[in-house]
Amino acid sequence: MSKINKAKSFKKSKAGTYLSIGTTLFGAVSIAKQVKTARLEHDKLQLVDAVVSAAAVATGIALLVRELRRISNEGDLDVLAD
C-alpha cells in the first residue's frame, strides 16, 4: 500500500478521527482568546467573528463525532484496530 493510501486510510480511522477532533478543539482555545480580547476592547465586529468561528468549530466537531459513530457501527473495518 502506498504512503498516500495509508494516509487516506488513517484519516478515516478511529485514531485519525480522534486526532481531528483534538486539533479542532485546539482551535477553540484561540477562539476563546479572541472572544476575551473582543470583550475587553468592546469590539463588536471582532466578537461577531469569534462567534462565527465558534459555530464553525462546533459544526466541525459534530461532523467528526458523526463520522466516529459511523466508524464504530461498521465494526472491524478500523485500519488500526489489529
Side-chain angles (χ1 to χ4, degrees):
M1 186 184 295
S2 72
K3 289 183 180 183
I4 293 174
N5 288 337
K6 284 183 182 180
K8 287 181 181 178
S9 295
F10 178 74
K11 187 176 180 183
K12 295 189 181 276
S13 69
K14 279 186 181 181
T17 305
Y18 281 123
L19 182 64
S20 295
I21 290 171
T23 56
T24 303
L25 287 174
F26 189 71
V29 174
S30 173
I31 294 170
K33 289 180 183 179
Q34 187 179 4
V35 167
K36 184 178 178 181
T37 303
R39 285 187 173 184
L40 288 174
E41 297 176 358
H42 303 291
D43 188 347
K44 292 187 190 254
L45 184 58
Q46 190 175 8
L47 187 60
V48 168
D49 182 44
V51 169
V52 170
S53 297
V57 166
T59 303
I61 290 173
L63 290 170
L64 289 167
V65 168
R66 182 176 72 181
E67 179 69 14
L68 189 60
R69 287 182 182 160
R70 186 190 61 77
I71 290 170
S72 295
N73 289 338
E74 287 180 359
D76 295 330
L77 296 179
D78 190 14
V79 175
L80 301 177
D82 297 329

